[in-house]
Amino acid sequence: MELLAAYDEPRPTKELREELMRKHPDRAPAPQVVRNTLEPLVAKGKIRRHKQERSVSYTLVDSPRTTTAAQSG
């Protein structure tokens, strides 16, 4: 969730995985492991899944940036 909080736009699983690997070079999670970690957060309503064709991206449900933008708009 910390990775997603840094962005306003949905982040593809591939980019989240790459960022995790940069932050934790001693680990190399498979893309499926990243998705399997994110999906329970979707089920709990903490993050939102976005599908576009075959690509899946994620955002925080209550991102401070999203909340601020919604309040000012």
Side-chain angles (χ1 to χ4, degrees), residues 34-58:
V34 175
R35 279 192 295 275
N36 289 347
T37 303
L38 294 168
E39 286 302 317
L41 296 171
V42 172
K44 291 177 183 178
K46 295 186 182 265
I47 64 173
R48 190 172 289 129
R49 179 188 325 109
H50 305 269
K51 289 185 180 180
Q52 187 173 38
E53 295 181 22
R54 294 178 54 181
S55 178
V56 179
S57 299
Y58 297 90

Side-chain angles (χ1 to χ4, degrees), residues 3-69:
L3 291 176
L4 291 173
Y7 300 99
D8 293 327
E9 297 294 318
R11 306 305 299 168
T13 307
K14 178 182 177 183
E15 289 179 17
L16 292 170
R17 177 181 178 264
E18 290 169 354
E19 190 167 344
L20 281 169
M21 290 184 349
R22 278 193 301 275
K23 288 186 176 208
H24 304 280
D26 56 322
R27 300 191 178 230
Q32 188 61 45
V33 171
V34 175
R35 279 192 295 275
N36 289 347
T37 303
L38 294 168
E39 286 302 317
L41 296 171
V42 172
K44 291 177 183 178
K46 295 186 182 265
I47 64 173
R48 190 172 289 129
R49 179 188 325 109
H50 305 269
K51 289 185 180 180
Q52 187 173 38
E53 295 181 22
R54 294 178 54 181
S55 178
V56 179
S57 299
Y58 297 90
T59 56
L60 285 181
V61 169
D62 291 323
S63 167
R65 292 180 179 177
T66 304
T67 304
T68 303

